[in-house]
Amino acid sequence: MAAIEMKNIVKQYGDGFPAVNDISIDVADGEFLILVGPSGCGKSTLLRMIVGLEDITSGDMVIGGKKVNDLAPRDRNLAMVFQNYALYPHLTVYENIAFPLRLAGASDSEVDQKVRDASKTLELDEHLERKPGNLSGGQRQRVAMGRAIVRQAEAFLFDEPLSNLDAKLRGQMRTEISRLQKRLGITTVYVTHDQTEAMTLGDRVAVLKRGILQQLATPRELYENPANLFVAGFIGSPPMNFLPAEVKGNQVELPFGTVTIPEERAAKAQGKGLLMAGIRPEHFEDASVVDEDKVSDEATFNATVDVVEWLGNEAYAYIPFEAPPEVAKQLQQLERDLDGESLRTQLVISLDGASRISEGDEATIWVDARKIHLFDPATGENLTMDAERAGTVPGGNAMAKAEEVGREQDDVQPGSDTATT
């Protein structure tokens, strides 16, 4: 096992465009780090530079205290699990797992011991004599993981290993990978575009956008204390609501009414003009089912509910609103950055299953004013972020830097060899 240090890593392709742009991340020995972001953010490129499949343009990659920039992949002692399993179809499960050991010249007894230990860990004992073509997707991914385990590598690298599986199997495999990593205690870097995987698996999560690190923190801190609009919109399902807002004193004027917020939050946004308020769906509620000691006129507003989706234990209510052009434009840009995640000008509210709000009702809605974030619509910066709890936030404005890179990318002529997967 070993720590991984990425120091000011840059990857530029032939046209000079930075697929990975000055990223520094330290992965502790035994830590489970997630690299997450939409397509083209540079997460897989960064992973491939760790293992040595991509050359580093500048910066240093240090594994176990040793600089490995010029080492071939076979000399880095890392085990990688790919999205497409990469199994040999003509070999049995046993021989697929044994392959790296035989390549290293291990004795038959050592091969047998390590294969059977890995097989037991991954519950593959009854499948050892089968071929990959006769296995389910989850079983094949476990075989690929088994091949990584027997190598006794210094770190595991996962490149979207669950993206080819159906939703139910992905959930099962997430649990298996989490248990396995904790049992082995091995340093792990895991790439995914699925924020659910990121939130459930990682000790820490690095959110990337257009090759730039936006925020590095625990899943809870990303959710509760996002550094900017991009992180706030990417983390959470349904995504955070973004509404036009203006702060006057310790009150925030929203499209549906005025809400009083804590003075320390209001103070950070004074004199900023038109802002964007970010409020997660679960921080609203039908006022009729909220404890009386929480409800006050300063934390409620009335609105007409357009649509209600009842799911049994909860419901989602949708309330449309009008947004000024500058806010609507920022939401449209954010939708593009989030791979088309819908951020239409409507409020999404998560309601308790006991709520009796119906479509067309004029409802009284309670909002938890302590959880309202205020963002600068021009830069995307979270003005109310708690800096002490935010984890690592790059210097300058990471979201604005990514927007500048995006504009440069738009200027790249078709046919260039830029690749930012």
Side-chain angles (χ1 to χ4, degrees), residues 235-276:
I235 300 296
S237 182
M240 182 180 281
N241 294 289
F242 297 111
L243 303 90
E246 191 169 349
V247 176
K248 294 182 179 179
N250 66 334
Q251 293 187 319
V252 178
E253 293 184 0
L254 301 171
F256 309 103
T258 300
V259 176
T260 301
I261 63 172
E263 291 185 4
E264 61 273 15
R265 284 188 171 245
K268 295 179 180 180
Q270 292 293 340
K272 299 289 186 178
L274 181 65
L275 302 175
M276 290 179 70

Side-chain angles (χ1 to χ4, degrees), residues 151-355:
R151 290 191 54 193
Q152 295 185 322
E154 294 191 358
F156 284 167
L157 307 177
F158 289 88
D159 190 6
E160 303 201 46
L162 309 184
S163 59
N164 287 339
L165 307 180
D166 61 55
K168 182 177 181 181
L169 194 50
R170 280 202 302 271
Q172 294 172 351
M173 287 299 296
R174 279 202 307 267
T175 303
E176 290 185 22
I177 290 174
S178 180
R179 286 174 177 164
L180 178 65
Q181 196 273 341
K182 287 180 172 61
R183 188 183 308 139
L184 298 176
I186 191 168
T187 308
T188 301
V189 181
Y190 186 109
V191 162
T192 181
H193 67 275
D194 185 336
Q195 60 102 7
T196 301
E197 287 181 27
M199 297 294 282
T200 56
L201 284 173
D203 296 322
R204 288 189 301 161
V205 179
V207 182
L208 306 180
K209 175 188 177 186
R210 293 176 180 165
I212 295 171
L213 178 65
Q214 301 293 303
Q215 190 172 0
L216 172 63
T218 65
R220 181 177 291 276
E221 292 309 321
L222 288 179
Y223 190 82
E224 296 181 348
N225 203 25
N228 56 42
L229 277 170
F230 177 80
V231 176
F234 190 84
I235 300 296
S237 182
M240 182 180 281
N241 294 289
F242 297 111
L243 303 90
E246 191 169 349
V247 176
K248 294 182 179 179
N250 66 334
Q251 293 187 319
V252 178
E253 293 184 0
L254 301 171
F256 309 103
T258 300
V259 176
T260 301
I261 63 172
E263 291 185 4
E264 61 273 15
R265 284 188 171 245
K268 295 179 180 180
Q270 292 293 340
K272 299 289 186 178
L274 181 65
L275 302 175
M276 290 179 70
I279 316 172
R280 296 205 179 274
E282 61 271 26
H283 296 149
F284 295 93
E285 187 53 88
D286 177 355
S288 68
V289 300
V290 177
D291 293 341
E292 290 184 6
D293 58 341
K294 288 185 178 181
V295 177
S296 71
D297 292 339
E298 297 178 337
T300 61
F301 60 88
N302 294 325
T304 301
V305 176
D306 184 38
V307 174
V308 174
E309 296 176 343
W310 187 74
L311 303 176
N313 63 321
E314 64 179 348
Y316 289 109
Y318 297 84
I319 303 173
F321 64 88
E322 294 293 329
E326 52 266 57
V327 171
K329 181 179 179 181
Q330 182 66 283
L331 289 177
Q332 290 171 1
Q333 178 60 50
L334 191 56
E335 281 189 2
R336 290 192 291 270
D337 292 339
L338 297 174
D339 280 351
E341 178 75 66
S342 177
L343 296 173
R344 290 172 296 175
T345 51
Q346 64 177 357
L347 185 65
V348 182
I349 296 174
S350 177
L351 301 174
D352 187 279
S355 172

Side-chain angles (χ1 to χ4, degrees), residues 28-43:
D29 189 1
E31 183 179 12
F32 199 139
L33 178 80
I34 304 290
L35 302 177
V36 69
S39 299
C41 71
K43 55 188 183 295

Side-chain angles (χ1 to χ4, degrees), residues 8 15 26 76 81 100 172 295 309 323 353 370 388 396 405:
N8 305 108
D15 58 10
D26 290 342
R76 300 192 186 193
V81 179
Q172 294 172 351
V295 177
E309 296 176 343
R370 300 167 302 170
E388 294 182 0
V405 169

